[in-house]
Amino acid sequence: MASLTRIISDDEFGIVLLRKSGRSRGLSIRVRTRSTREGARVTVSMPVLAPFQAGVSYLESKRDWIRRALASQDARTEKAVCEGRAQEPVRDGLRISTLSCRILFRAEAALKNKAVIYNGMDDEGNPLRTISFPSSWTDGSGNVTDVAIEKWLGDVLADVLRQEAKVYLPARLEMLACRFGFKYAKVFIKHNLTNWGSCSSKGNINLNLNLLRLPEYLADYVILHELCHLREPNHGPGFHALLGRILTEHFNIAPHPDDSGFEEALSAGEVEHWFRKEIARWRLM
């Protein structure tokens, strides 16, 4: 069978992914905040019977739109990084706080062509995971200069988050499920760029390891959202009524943001809407 995917190198956009799909009825372009595993931020989707050259031509016709979309996404991501809602590029001294531990990136002159992970405690007594890597990979300011190496270190970070998430998230899920009387089948920890969590028709809960980077109240919101899908599979009125009731009950006693808008939404029974807007401001890595 002929391949349904082709990777091309564009002088302006770098790696571009051309993907055929049986669900595509026409040509479309998706611009991502983060690169795919293939290194592409731009993906052209097309019907299975369309020639790849049609995708290349469509890319050319949409070049101005893609340029504006990438610039807009980069601006939003830069703002999110400044506000702590998106992951900074890996560099020497980068510190990341998660729900279960602190993570530190440290450049070491003695290391050669490898990264080493150390487990310890920080000055405040919190678990500390230190990812050490060769200082030869950085410039004078401690920034990682090679894009491929930075991406590889990002994968190391994802592995550390996955290890932590496999301990923290199932325990949090079980606690919330027991409190509100939900019964699920299995829990899986995933790493993807499209959603924070999902619930399958078999009753399995999928949680994104990125939840560890969120404040606890947002992670709880995602978990409760997926638990509600065990009873209400779609996003109909029954689902929103159930989720709204459970969120109100939970956050009347659980720690929540010190925000007047949240308090107003809680009092008005519109807390789900507040959470939807807040989670949309965060960026997956």
Side-chain angles (χ1 to χ4, degrees):
M1 177 183 292
S3 174
L4 297 179
T5 302
R6 179 171 294 179
I7 297 173
I8 63 173
S9 180
D10 183 83
D11 291 340
E12 182 177 7
F13 305 134
I15 299 297
V16 174
L17 194 62
L18 306 178
R19 177 174 292 154
K20 296 184 179 183
S21 170
R23 293 177 296 178
S24 296
R25 295 294 178 262
L27 294 165
S28 63
I29 292 179
R30 178 177 182 181
V31 177
R32 300 174 183 270
T33 302
R34 307 280 296 186
S35 299
T36 65
R37 291 178 177 81
E38 296 85 359
R41 287 186 63 188
V42 179
T43 301
V44 181
S45 298
M46 64 189 72
V48 173
L49 297 181
F52 281 116
Q53 184 56 44
V56 175
S57 299
Y58 191 67
L59 175 74
E60 288 297 326
S61 72
K62 295 294 184 180
R63 189 169 290 275
D64 287 343
W65 178 86
I66 296 170
R67 190 181 297 118
R68 291 194 301 270
L70 287 170
S72 177
Q73 285 191 351
D74 289 343
R76 289 198 302 270
T77 297
E78 183 178 354
K79 184 175 187 294
V81 167
C82 292
E83 296 176 355
R85 296 181 286 103
Q87 184 54 55
E88 296 181 55
V90 173
R91 55 175 172 77
D92 180 31
L94 174 63
R95 293 178 178 271
I96 303 168
S97 294
T98 79
L99 291 174
S100 63
C101 71
R102 306 292 186 266
I103 300 173
L104 168 66
F105 279 90
R106 183 173 63 197
E108 293 187 14
L111 286 177
K112 305 295 180 184
N113 299 319
K114 66 177 181 179
V116 179
I117 301 173
Y118 302 100
N119 297 324
M121 305 290 286
D122 66 11
D123 294 339
E124 298 177 354
N126 301 302
L128 178 67
R129 307 290 299 275
T130 301
I131 303 174
S132 295
F133 60 94
S135 58
S136 60
W137 292 355
T138 66
D139 59 17
S141 300
N143 300 309
V144 177
T145 54
D146 187 282
V147 174
I149 290 178
E150 183 190 350
K151 187 177 187 306
W152 182 79
L153 286 171
D155 292 339
V156 175
L157 171 60
D159 286 340
V160 171
L161 287 173
R162 183 180 290 106
Q163 293 168 18
E164 294 290 324
K166 285 184 175 180
V167 176
Y168 179 91
L169 292 178
R172 193 69 181 175
L173 173 67
E174 179 66 16
M175 185 275 289
L176 291 172
C178 288
R179 180 179 177 195
F180 292 102
F182 290 104
K183 294 187 180 299
Y184 56 91
K186 298 178 181 179
V187 57
F188 298 96
I189 306 302
K190 301 290 185 71
H191 183 206
N192 58 56
L193 301 175
T194 57
N195 57 53
W196 295 97
S198 62
C199 177
S200 75
S201 59
K202 297 181 179 179
N204 297 326
I205 301 292
N206 303 304
L207 298 175
N208 196 315
L209 57 83
N210 278 280
L211 290 173
L212 280 192
R213 298 172 40 239
L214 299 178
E216 184 178 83
Y217 59 85
L218 280 183
D220 280 358
Y221 161 70
V222 172
I223 293 172
L224 290 170
H225 181 113
E226 302 311 330
L227 285 172
C228 285
H229 277 310
L230 293 169
R231 297 178 190 167
E232 299 285 346
N234 55 39
H235 289 100
F239 169 82
H240 292 296
L242 175 63
L243 178 58
R245 177 178 61 78
I246 286 180
L247 289 174
T248 300
E249 181 179 342
H250 179 58
F251 288 105
N252 266 319
I253 60 173
H256 53 261
D258 183 15
D259 181 278
S260 58
F262 176 85
E263 294 291 351
E264 292 173 3
L266 190 63
S267 299
E270 298 177 350
V271 68
E272 184 200 353
H273 178 67
W274 186 93
F275 274 111
R276 288 204 309 270
K277 290 176 60 178
E278 185 66 17
I279 195 84
R281 300 172 63 242
W282 287 75
R283 295 289 183 268
L284 293 160
M285 55 155 274

PDB file of all heavy atoms in Angstrom, residues 185-207:
ATOM      1  N   ALA A 185     -12.709   1.889  34.410  1.00  0.00           N
ATOM      2  CA  ALA A 185     -12.047   0.610  34.148  1.00  0.00           C
ATOM      3  C   ALA A 185     -10.539   0.707  34.403  1.00  0.00           C
ATOM      4  O   ALA A 185     -10.025   0.164  35.367  1.00  0.00           O
ATOM      5  CB  ALA A 185     -12.320   0.160  32.714  1.00  0.00           C
ATOM      6  N   LYS A 186      -9.843   1.423  33.556  1.00  0.00           N
ATOM      7  CA  LYS A 186      -8.394   1.572  33.683  1.00  0.00           C
ATOM      8  C   LYS A 186      -8.035   3.037  33.478  1.00  0.00           C
ATOM      9  O   LYS A 186      -8.815   3.822  32.945  1.00  0.00           O
ATOM     10  CB  LYS A 186      -7.661   0.713  32.636  1.00  0.00           C
ATOM     11  CG  LYS A 186      -7.907  -0.786  32.778  1.00  0.00           C
ATOM     12  CD  LYS A 186      -7.179  -1.546  31.677  1.00  0.00           C
ATOM     13  CE  LYS A 186      -7.427  -3.039  31.787  1.00  0.00           C
ATOM     14  NZ  LYS A 186      -6.745  -3.794  30.696  1.00  0.00           N
ATOM     15  N   VAL A 187      -6.808   3.384  33.890  1.00  0.00           N
ATOM     16  CA  VAL A 187      -6.303   4.725  33.654  1.00  0.00           C
ATOM     17  C   VAL A 187      -4.994   4.619  32.880  1.00  0.00           C
ATOM     18  O   VAL A 187      -4.152   3.765  33.183  1.00  0.00           O
ATOM     19  CB  VAL A 187      -6.100   5.506  34.970  1.00  0.00           C
ATOM     20  CG1 VAL A 187      -5.170   4.778  35.932  1.00  0.00           C
ATOM     21  CG2 VAL A 187      -5.565   6.893  34.680  1.00  0.00           C
ATOM     22  N   PHE A 188      -4.838   5.460  31.871  1.00  0.00           N
ATOM     23  CA  PHE A 188      -3.624   5.488  31.059  1.00  0.00           C
ATOM     24  C   PHE A 188      -3.067   6.910  31.055  1.00  0.00           C
ATOM     25  O   PHE A 188      -3.813   7.882  30.959  1.00  0.00           O
ATOM     26  CB  PHE A 188      -3.914   5.052  29.624  1.00  0.00           C
ATOM     27  CG  PHE A 188      -4.423   3.650  29.503  1.00  0.00           C
ATOM     28  CD1 PHE A 188      -5.789   3.389  29.430  1.00  0.00           C
ATOM     29  CD2 PHE A 188      -3.541   2.579  29.479  1.00  0.00           C
ATOM     30  CE1 PHE A 188      -6.262   2.107  29.323  1.00  0.00           C
ATOM     31  CE2 PHE A 188      -4.014   1.276  29.375  1.00  0.00           C
ATOM     32  CZ  PHE A 188      -5.369   1.037  29.295  1.00  0.00           C
ATOM     33  N   ILE A 189      -1.751   7.011  31.153  1.00  0.00           N
ATOM     34  CA  ILE A 189      -1.069   8.301  31.092  1.00  0.00           C
ATOM     35  C   ILE A 189      -0.543   8.481  29.674  1.00  0.00           C
ATOM     36  O   ILE A 189       0.245   7.669  29.189  1.00  0.00           O
ATOM     37  CB  ILE A 189       0.083   8.391  32.108  1.00  0.00           C
ATOM     38  CG1 ILE A 189      -0.426   8.060  33.516  1.00  0.00           C
ATOM     39  CG2 ILE A 189       0.727   9.763  32.055  1.00  0.00           C
ATOM     40  CD1 ILE A 189      -1.541   8.961  33.999  1.00  0.00           C
ATOM     41  N   LYS A 190      -0.990   9.546  29.008  1.00  0.00           N
ATOM     42  CA  LYS A 190      -0.627   9.783  27.609  1.00  0.00           C
ATOM     43  C   LYS A 190       0.170  11.088  27.499  1.00  0.00           C
ATOM     44  O   LYS A 190       0.193  11.909  28.403  1.00  0.00           O
ATOM     45  CB  LYS A 190      -1.889   9.879  26.743  1.00  0.00           C
ATOM     46  CG  LYS A 190      -2.785   8.648  26.773  1.00  0.00           C
ATOM     47  CD  LYS A 190      -2.133   7.488  26.059  1.00  0.00           C
ATOM     48  CE  LYS A 190      -3.066   6.281  25.959  1.00  0.00           C
ATOM     49  NZ  LYS A 190      -4.171   6.496  25.007  1.00  0.00           N
ATOM     50  N   HIS A 191       0.823  11.232  26.345  1.00  0.00           N
ATOM     51  CA  HIS A 191       1.488  12.496  26.011  1.00  0.00           C
ATOM     52  C   HIS A 191       1.104  12.859  24.589  1.00  0.00           C
ATOM     53  O   HIS A 191       1.583  12.263  23.636  1.00  0.00           O
ATOM     54  CB  HIS A 191       3.010  12.372  26.128  1.00  0.00           C
ATOM     55  CG  HIS A 191       3.737  13.660  25.867  1.00  0.00           C
ATOM     56  ND1 HIS A 191       5.032  13.705  25.407  1.00  0.00           N
ATOM     57  CD2 HIS A 191       3.318  14.950  25.987  1.00  0.00           C
ATOM     58  CE1 HIS A 191       5.395  14.976  25.261  1.00  0.00           C
ATOM     59  NE2 HIS A 191       4.374  15.745  25.601  1.00  0.00           N
ATOM     60  N   ASN A 192       0.183  13.795  24.465  1.00  0.00           N
ATOM     61  CA  ASN A 192      -0.201  14.228  23.133  1.00  0.00           C
ATOM     62  C   ASN A 192      -0.373  15.746  23.119  1.00  0.00           C
ATOM     63  O   ASN A 192      -0.284  16.398  24.154  1.00  0.00           O
ATOM     64  CB  ASN A 192      -1.493  13.538  22.672  1.00  0.00           C
ATOM     65  CG  ASN A 192      -2.647  13.790  23.618  1.00  0.00           C
ATOM     66  OD1 ASN A 192      -2.986  14.940  23.881  1.00  0.00           O
ATOM     67  ND2 ASN A 192      -3.261  12.724  24.131  1.00  0.00           N
ATOM     68  N   LEU A 193      -0.594  16.280  21.938  1.00  0.00           N
ATOM     69  CA  LEU A 193      -0.671  17.726  21.760  1.00  0.00           C
ATOM     70  C   LEU A 193      -2.088  18.214  21.507  1.00  0.00           C
ATOM     71  O   LEU A 193      -2.281  19.373  21.123  1.00  0.00           O
ATOM     72  CB  LEU A 193       0.233  18.152  20.590  1.00  0.00           C
ATOM     73  CG  LEU A 193       1.718  17.808  20.712  1.00  0.00           C
ATOM     74  CD1 LEU A 193       2.452  18.183  19.433  1.00  0.00           C
ATOM     75  CD2 LEU A 193       2.344  18.507  21.905  1.00  0.00           C
ATOM     76  N   THR A 194      -3.077  17.340  21.698  1.00  0.00           N
ATOM     77  CA  THR A 194      -4.432  17.703  21.299  1.00  0.00           C
ATOM     78  C   THR A 194      -5.410  17.861  22.450  1.00  0.00           C
ATOM     79  O   THR A 194      -6.373  18.614  22.324  1.00  0.00           O
ATOM     80  CB  THR A 194      -4.994  16.657  20.316  1.00  0.00           C
ATOM     81  OG1 THR A 194      -4.956  15.357  20.946  1.00  0.00           O
ATOM     82  CG2 THR A 194      -4.164  16.613  19.042  1.00  0.00           C
ATOM     83  N   ASN A 195      -5.238  17.151  23.549  1.00  0.00           N
ATOM     84  CA  ASN A 195      -6.199  17.287  24.645  1.00  0.00           C
ATOM     85  C   ASN A 195      -5.548  16.972  25.983  1.00  0.00           C
ATOM     86  O   ASN A 195      -4.491  16.344  26.052  1.00  0.00           O
ATOM     87  CB  ASN A 195      -7.425  16.391  24.425  1.00  0.00           C
ATOM     88  CG  ASN A 195      -7.052  14.929  24.276  1.00  0.00           C
ATOM     89  OD1 ASN A 195      -6.354  14.371  25.118  1.00  0.00           O
ATOM     90  ND2 ASN A 195      -7.512  14.288  23.219  1.00  0.00           N
ATOM     91  N   TRP A 196      -6.202  17.424  27.044  1.00  0.00           N
ATOM     92  CA  TRP A 196      -5.705  17.201  28.393  1.00  0.00           C
ATOM     93  C   TRP A 196      -6.150  15.854  28.951  1.00  0.00           C
ATOM     94  O   TRP A 196      -5.547  15.346  29.900  1.00  0.00           O
ATOM     95  CB  TRP A 196      -6.206  18.315  29.316  1.00  0.00           C
ATOM     96  CG  TRP A 196      -5.672  19.665  28.984  1.00  0.00           C
ATOM     97  CD1 TRP A 196      -6.286  20.629  28.235  1.00  0.00           C
ATOM     98  CD2 TRP A 196      -4.407  20.215  29.375  1.00  0.00           C
ATOM     99  NE1 TRP A 196      -5.482  21.736  28.147  1.00  0.00           N
ATOM    100  CE2 TRP A 196      -4.337  21.523  28.833  1.00  0.00           C
ATOM    101  CE3 TRP A 196      -3.343  19.733  30.140  1.00  0.00           C
ATOM    102  CZ2 TRP A 196      -3.228  22.347  29.028  1.00  0.00           C
ATOM    103  CZ3 TRP A 196      -2.239  20.559  30.333  1.00  0.00           C
ATOM    104  CH2 TRP A 196      -2.187  21.845  29.778  1.00  0.00           C
ATOM    105  N   GLY A 197      -7.194  15.290  28.376  1.00  0.00           N
ATOM    106  CA  GLY A 197      -7.681  14.002  28.843  1.00  0.00           C
ATOM    107  C   GLY A 197      -8.817  13.519  27.967  1.00  0.00           C
ATOM    108  O   GLY A 197      -9.337  14.251  27.124  1.00  0.00           O
ATOM    109  N   SER A 198      -9.204  12.247  28.159  1.00  0.00           N
ATOM    110  CA  SER A 198     -10.324  11.694  27.403  1.00  0.00           C
ATOM    111  C   SER A 198     -10.863  10.485  28.154  1.00  0.00           C
ATOM    112  O   SER A 198     -10.220   9.952  29.074  1.00  0.00           O
ATOM    113  CB  SER A 198      -9.894  11.287  25.981  1.00  0.00           C
ATOM    114  OG  SER A 198      -8.902  10.278  26.021  1.00  0.00           O
ATOM    115  N   CYS A 199     -12.067  10.072  27.753  1.00  0.00           N
ATOM    116  CA  CYS A 199     -12.718   8.911  28.354  1.00  0.00           C
ATOM    117  C   CYS A 199     -13.220   8.029  27.224  1.00  0.00           C
ATOM    118  O   CYS A 199     -13.921   8.503  26.332  1.00  0.00           O
ATOM    119  CB  CYS A 199     -13.867   9.358  29.251  1.00  0.00           C
ATOM    120  SG  CYS A 199     -14.814   7.997  29.975  1.00  0.00           S
ATOM    121  N   SER A 200     -12.854   6.742  27.233  1.00  0.00           N
ATOM    122  CA  SER A 200     -13.247   5.838  26.153  1.00  0.00           C
ATOM    123  C   SER A 200     -14.597   5.211  26.444  1.00  0.00           C
ATOM    124  O   SER A 200     -15.110   5.242  27.568  1.00  0.00           O
ATOM    125  CB  SER A 200     -12.195   4.741  25.975  1.00  0.00           C
ATOM    126  OG  SER A 200     -12.294   3.779  27.007  1.00  0.00           O
ATOM    127  N   SER A 201     -15.173   4.606  25.411  1.00  0.00           N
ATOM    128  CA  SER A 201     -16.469   3.933  25.566  1.00  0.00           C
ATOM    129  C   SER A 201     -16.371   2.715  26.479  1.00  0.00           C
ATOM    130  O   SER A 201     -17.383   2.227  26.978  1.00  0.00           O
ATOM    131  CB  SER A 201     -16.990   3.511  24.187  1.00  0.00           C
ATOM    132  OG  SER A 201     -16.064   2.636  23.547  1.00  0.00           O
ATOM    133  N   LYS A 202     -15.157   2.222  26.715  1.00  0.00           N
ATOM    134  CA  LYS A 202     -14.943   1.082  27.611  1.00  0.00           C
ATOM    135  C   LYS A 202     -14.767   1.506  29.068  1.00  0.00           C
ATOM    136  O   LYS A 202     -14.549   0.662  29.933  1.00  0.00           O
ATOM    137  CB  LYS A 202     -13.727   0.279  27.157  1.00  0.00           C
ATOM    138  CG  LYS A 202     -13.880  -0.356  25.778  1.00  0.00           C
ATOM    139  CD  LYS A 202     -12.635  -1.149  25.406  1.00  0.00           C
ATOM    140  CE  LYS A 202     -12.800  -1.804  24.029  1.00  0.00           C
ATOM    141  NZ  LYS A 202     -11.587  -2.571  23.631  1.00  0.00           N
ATOM    142  N   GLY A 203     -14.854   2.794  29.316  1.00  0.00           N
ATOM    143  CA  GLY A 203     -14.708   3.272  30.685  1.00  0.00           C
ATOM    144  C   GLY A 203     -13.278   3.530  31.093  1.00  0.00           C
ATOM    145  O   GLY A 203     -12.989   3.688  32.288  1.00  0.00           O
ATOM    146  N   ASN A 204     -12.363   3.582  30.125  1.00  0.00           N
ATOM    147  CA  ASN A 204     -10.965   3.891  30.429  1.00  0.00           C
ATOM    148  C   ASN A 204     -10.757   5.399  30.430  1.00  0.00           C
ATOM    149  O   ASN A 204     -11.276   6.109  29.580  1.00  0.00           O
ATOM    150  CB  ASN A 204     -10.036   3.263  29.388  1.00  0.00           C
ATOM    151  CG  ASN A 204     -10.102   1.749  29.388  1.00  0.00           C
ATOM    152  OD1 ASN A 204     -10.289   1.135  30.447  1.00  0.00           O
ATOM    153  ND2 ASN A 204      -9.955   1.133  28.231  1.00  0.00           N
ATOM    154  N   ILE A 205      -9.970   5.877  31.384  1.00  0.00           N
ATOM    155  CA  ILE A 205      -9.652   7.297  31.501  1.00  0.00           C
ATOM    156  C   ILE A 205      -8.225   7.517  31.017  1.00  0.00           C
ATOM    157  O   ILE A 205      -7.290   6.859  31.475  1.00  0.00           O
ATOM    158  CB  ILE A 205      -9.787   7.788  32.953  1.00  0.00           C
ATOM    159  CG1 ILE A 205     -11.207   7.562  33.473  1.00  0.00           C
ATOM    160  CG2 ILE A 205      -9.392   9.261  33.054  1.00  0.00           C
ATOM    161  CD1 ILE A 205     -12.259   8.416  32.819  1.00  0.00           C
ATOM    162  N   ASN A 206      -8.059   8.438  30.082  1.00  0.00           N
ATOM    163  CA  ASN A 206      -6.734   8.820  29.586  1.00  0.00           C
ATOM    164  C   ASN A 206      -6.412  10.215  30.100  1.00  0.00           C
ATOM    165  O   ASN A 206      -7.196  11.149  29.912  1.00  0.00           O
ATOM    166  CB  ASN A 206      -6.714   8.819  28.057  1.00  0.00           C
ATOM    167  CG  ASN A 206      -7.113   7.480  27.480  1.00  0.00           C
ATOM    168  OD1 ASN A 206      -6.521   6.458  27.788  1.00  0.00           O
ATOM    169  ND2 ASN A 206      -8.139   7.481  26.639  1.00  0.00           N
ATOM    170  N   LEU A 207      -5.259  10.361  30.741  1.00  0.00           N
ATOM    171  CA  LEU A 207      -4.850  11.651  31.286  1.00  0.00           C
ATOM    172  C   LEU A 207      -3.502  12.054  30.704  1.00  0.00           C
ATOM    173  O   LEU A 207      -2.583  11.236  30.622  1.00  0.00           O
ATOM    174  CB  LEU A 207      -4.759  11.578  32.813  1.00  0.00           C
ATOM    175  CG  LEU A 207      -6.067  11.261  33.543  1.00  0.00           C
ATOM    176  CD1 LEU A 207      -5.819  11.104  35.034  1.00  0.00           C
ATOM    177  CD2 LEU A 207      -7.118  12.345  33.290  1.00  0.00           C
TER     178      LEU A 207
END
